[in-house]
Amino acid sequence: MTLSFYIHIPYCIKRCGYCDFNTYTPAELGQGEVGRSEISSRYMSSVQREILRAAKELQTKQLPQITTIFFGGGTPSLMDPLDIARTIAKIDEIFSLTKDCEITLEANPDTLNEMNVAGFAEAGVNRISLGVQSANQKVLATLDRTHKNSNVQRALELAVQNGIKGRSIDLIYGTPGESVAALEESLDFALSLPIDHVSAYALIVELGTRLARQVASGEIATPDDDEMADKYRIIDERFNQAGFHWYELSNWANSLDARSRHNQVYWNGGDWWGVGPGAHSHLDGKRWWNIKNPISYMNALDNDLTIIAGEETLSESAKSDERIMLGIRLREGIARDELKKIQEEVVARYIASEAVDQSAWDMGRLTLTLKGRLIADRIVRDLVL
Ligand SMILES: C[S@@+](CC[C@H](N)C(=O)[O-])C[C@H]1O[C@@H](n2cnc3c(N)ncnc32)[C@H](O)[C@@H]1O
Ligand code: SF4
């Protein structure tokens, strides 16, 4: 048996106006006066406590080897590299890492410098995922981002110099006011960087965010579906020309090896333990999730109390729906024999409209064409409802 660890870091220096992730500024948590290294050491000690709990929980079986670790956020690059090193060492000591264990750290360009990049590499981080979003100054301002393009270049150069082999960036497209020229500017910039992977997400206007309030008040307008589809086509074409091929709807890599192994565990229904406030876990069809507030999470661990906020065991039909929802987003798609007769009829309709690949279907797989990728959500709804 193998397992992956997701380790949530719930801190950011400033909240971006579009983001509703479970993340906080130290001031929001009443830790405004506490130094950054103290915050890191206190929080990462709690993380290590949860890792010990995971080991106890799994002890009845032979402890699994760890194939991937993903420090996600929030902003994991705010943590002290020594705390990241201790956490990785703890996991290795208790569970043991596979020799080629993929260890990713999400980073904000403003938080990386010569010292900490060297420290993260030394700790064992071999993949970095950098939040870039756009290279256009107006779009960056609408998104509330604080970084400059030069910080992105510098951060990735440091990753290269320190031998961090996996280098990915996140882009966001469809920001209100983003022209096609501004998108092209971001793509030119992205493709000039020393990266092997890119994630490009359509901007989601999340309820409760500053962006949602600006949209509701009419201050800014969101793009329509046609504009989003045009932008997706442009992104896919530019990446293809540069040798980056899609392997999941929002993810492109320039080699098989550069694909995110951690994310593939999620998409293929594998097992992972999510450590940290609000983190979700999945083991053998059972899911659970932790309490959301970081301070309550740390206090519960300190006092030997439960950190679990909820759990569910997936029924066979829920598992099958989930396989469809995730699998359809993958280049490899879904095996035809996973589908029921009634779902095959839905597929036939989409083959007729050229959203599903006829020849792959004839060979036993449901995979989407470019046209299908643009309406993947609609196809999923028709298949699982
Ligand atoms: C944890 S952040 C990445 C690291 C770091 N916190 C940063 O932002 O630089 C994960 C990514 O989620 C994406 N994201 C967050 N909120 C989003 C939204 N409302 N719509 C689309 N993408 C979003 C962004 O691309 C972001 O880089
Ligand atoms: S996008 Fe990244 S930096 Fe911005 S608030 Fe979300 S997690 Fe923090």
Side-chain angles (χ1 to χ4, degrees):
M1 184 197 170
T2 57
L3 182 73
S4 289
F5 269 111
Y6 170 77
I7 299 178
H8 188 65
I9 309 293
Y11 291 99
C12 288
I13 295 176
K14 172 179 180 270
R15 179 179 287 276
C16 308
Y18 55 87
C19 181
D20 80 338
F21 288 18
N22 189 33
T23 185
Y24 308 83
T25 62
E28 281 171 336
L29 293 176
Q31 294 182 303
E33 305 306 314
V34 185
R36 201 189 279 183
S37 81
E38 213 178 305
I39 288 179
S40 167
S41 111
R42 159 116 167 85
Y43 179 69
M44 294 308 284
S45 314
S46 297
V47 160
Q48 288 172 34
R49 280 208 187 124
E50 189 183 345
I51 292 165
L52 280 171
R53 281 195 188 182
K56 262 199 198 143
E57 186 101 350
L58 295 165
Q59 222 165 32
T60 43
K61 307 172 191 164
Q62 195 193 0
L63 281 184
Q65 269 208 306
I66 307 304
T67 53
T68 68
I69 303 175
F70 193 103
F71 292 93
T75 308
S77 47
L78 282 174
M79 295 293 103
D80 186 328
L82 284 176
D83 292 322
I84 297 288
R86 282 188 204 108
T87 307
I88 295 171
K90 182 64 92 198
I91 296 175
D92 192 20
E93 180 195 317
I94 303 174
F95 290 86
S96 100
L97 308 181
T98 54
K99 235 173 61 205
D100 60 347
C101 182
E102 177 190 271
I103 306 181
T104 305
L105 183 105
E106 280 191 325
N108 179 295
D110 280 340
T111 61
L112 293 179
N113 55 51
E114 231 163 83
M115 287 288 287
N116 67 2
V117 176
F120 292 134
E122 180 74 13
V125 169
N126 50 29
R127 188 167 180 275
I128 201 127
S129 172
L130 200 61
V132 173
Q133 326 310 356
S134 172
N136 178 273
Q137 290 313 307
K138 201 175 132 230
V139 173
L140 286 171
T142 306
L143 289 176
D144 247 357
R145 299 290 289 186
T146 52
H147 70 260
K148 297 192 178 61
N149 291 342
S150 55
N151 300 9
V152 172
Q153 286 160 324
R154 178 83 186 120
L156 288 164
E157 270 162 28
L158 287 171
V160 173
Q161 282 161 22
N162 284 282
I164 298 180
K165 287 222 171 62
R167 296 180 298 270
S168 178
I169 59 165
D170 291 338
L171 294 178
I172 287 181
Y173 64 97
T175 299
E178 181 192 50
S179 62
V180 169
L183 174 65
E184 295 275 10
E185 187 185 331
S186 295
L187 297 174
D188 288 340
F189 179 67
L191 291 169
S192 74
L193 298 169
I195 54 171
D196 61 4
H197 186 281
V198 53
S199 306
Y201 302 114
L203 179 68
I204 300 171
V205 179
E206 302 281 4
L207 276 178
T209 58
R210 197 165 80 89
L211 179 69
R213 287 190 290 280
Q214 288 171 305
V215 171
S217 72
E219 191 187 325
I220 49 182
T222 48
D224 62 21
D225 289 352
D226 286 346
E227 182 179 333
M228 293 307 275
D230 286 345
K231 286 186 171 169
Y232 185 89
R233 275 196 218 97
I234 293 171
I235 291 169
D236 189 55
E237 191 180 326
R238 288 292 310 275
F239 288 160
N240 271 323
Q241 284 164 358
F244 287 76
H245 301 290
W246 81 287
Y247 67 103
E248 194 271 351
L249 289 183
S250 306
N251 288 279
W252 290 258
N254 70 2
S255 73
L256 276 181
D257 213 36
R259 294 180 176 189
S260 160
R261 281 199 276 133
H262 185 84
N263 286 337
Q264 291 183 83
V265 169
Y266 297 154
W267 300 328
N268 290 315
D271 290 332
W272 78 90
W273 193 293
V275 178
H280 285 236
S281 302
H282 173 259
L283 269 184
D284 294 336
K286 190 182 155 200
R287 275 181 197 298
W288 67 94
W289 49 95
N290 290 347
I291 46 183
K292 254 184 113 175
N293 182 281
I295 302 293
S296 315
Y297 166 84
M298 288 189 272
N299 289 341
L301 280 163
D302 287 349
N303 295 302
D304 274 333
L305 299 172
T306 183
I307 51 167
I308 296 177
E311 58 179 47
E312 65 183 355
T313 302
L314 295 180
S315 65
E316 282 314 312
S317 98
K319 276 190 208 163
S320 151
D321 286 354
E322 202 168 282
R323 270 200 302 276
I324 292 172
M325 281 189 276
L326 295 170
I328 210 162
R329 297 178 60 90
L330 300 175
R331 189 182 189 107
E332 286 75 22
I334 307 162
R336 185 174 174 161
D337 56 20
E338 294 246 359
L339 299 179
K340 302 186 195 88
K341 193 97 210 108
I342 188 162
Q343 292 172 319
E344 293 207 359
E345 285 163 20
V346 174
V347 173
R349 279 206 325 264
Y350 281 111
I351 289 176
S353 65
E354 297 180 350
V356 167
D357 189 314
Q358 168 85 68
S359 55
W361 182 248
D362 292 341
M363 284 165 32
R365 296 210 66 88
L366 164 54
T367 62
L368 299 182
T369 60
L370 177 57
K371 190 172 173 195
R373 283 152 67 194
L374 298 171
I375 53 164
D377 289 345
R378 191 192 312 163
I379 300 177
V380 166
R381 273 199 304 277
D382 285 354
L383 283 170
V384 303
L385 287 185

